[in-house]
Amino acid sequence: MNRNIIFMDGEFAKLKPDGIDLLSIALIKPTGEELYLELDYKGKVDPWVKENVVPKLNQEKASKKEVVKLIKKFVGNDKPYLVSHVNQFDWMGICKLFGANDVKGIAELPFQWVPIDFAGILFGKGIDIGKLKLEGVAKKYNIDTSKMEKHNALDDTRLLKKVYERIMN
């Protein structure tokens, strides 16, 4: 398994074409080292997010500037590949968080400029991710999810890492 990766999931306020505002973010290294942060967000959230995500946000909130600083410290200088289950949304959230709105900005991110789409990996292995979703894939591979809370960035990232390791090894 490639060790220069970091697993990531983020929960966001709503899907919108001008970028994703992250409410929380979790990063996990292949070693198991974790970083979980909740952002100080004052904008509007979709009703579904208000019902399913906001109640799970219960840690001290950090500013965007502080979150960026903590992520850079956690990631280090190796520019790992970011592995995400639905990478198009998570990548948009990372880019907006870091203010990377052009090629130069993306090049300055602490990650490789090409995020890894885990749903695409599953599709390539013949697994119908649209039908099963990640929890269904976990069940298919006998991964216990009973202690994991859906729509919690840290638990979702832990699940992503477990499924990735089971599928790739």
Side-chain angles (χ1 to χ4, degrees):
M1 175 170 66
N2 186 335
R3 301 316 254 168
N4 195 27
I5 59 175
I6 287 189
F7 301 95
M8 181 261 176
D9 185 66
E11 299 298 334
F12 42 85
K14 58 184 169 177
L15 292 176
K16 54 187 184 168
D18 65 337
I20 302 295
D21 293 307
L22 290 170
L23 300 175
S24 64
I25 184 170
L27 301 168
I28 302 178
K29 294 180 179 178
T31 60
E33 187 180 350
E34 299 178 342
L35 177 67
Y36 175 73
L37 301 163
E38 293 181 6
L39 287 95
D40 185 20
Y41 177 76
K42 304 289 190 229
K44 293 181 181 181
V45 298
D46 281 340
W48 186 93
V49 173
K50 191 177 283 189
E51 183 179 327
N52 294 284
V53 175
V54 172
K56 298 169 187 173
L57 302 174
N58 55 17
Q59 292 193 2
E60 187 175 328
K61 308 302 183 254
S63 69
K64 282 185 176 185
K65 185 176 179 180
E66 184 65 18
V67 168
V68 165
K69 179 180 165 186
L70 291 168
I71 290 172
K72 285 181 178 180
K73 181 179 178 186
F74 180 79
V75 171
N77 297 322
D78 291 337
K79 296 259 293 178
Y81 288 93
L82 192 72
V83 178
S84 176
H85 175 231
V86 185
N87 79 322
Q88 64 270 28
F89 301 128
D90 291 328
W91 186 248
M92 285 174 37
I94 288 286
C95 288
K96 185 165 185 185
L97 178 65
F98 279 81
N101 54 9
D102 60 16
V103 174
K104 183 177 185 268
I106 291 172
E108 293 176 5
L109 289 172
F111 306 101
Q112 292 288 333
W113 68 275
V114 178
I116 305 300
D117 174 23
F118 189 58
I121 292 172
L122 293 173
F123 181 83
K125 290 189 171 282
I127 299 170
D128 186 352
I129 190 68
K131 183 178 178 184
L132 289 176
K133 300 192 177 167
L134 196 56
E135 296 82 15
V137 176
K139 184 176 180 180
K140 179 178 176 173
Y141 286 91
N142 298 314
I143 297 171
D144 182 17
T145 61
S146 63
K147 294 184 174 93
M148 294 182 181
E149 191 171 26
K150 279 183 171 184
H151 311 301
N152 171 283
L154 184 55
D155 280 345
D156 289 348
T157 308
R158 287 173 176 156
L159 179 60
L160 168 65
K161 181 179 182 289
K162 286 181 182 215
V163 173
Y164 179 95
E165 291 171 341
R166 185 69 53 92
I167 298 286
M168 301 305 283
N169 289 329

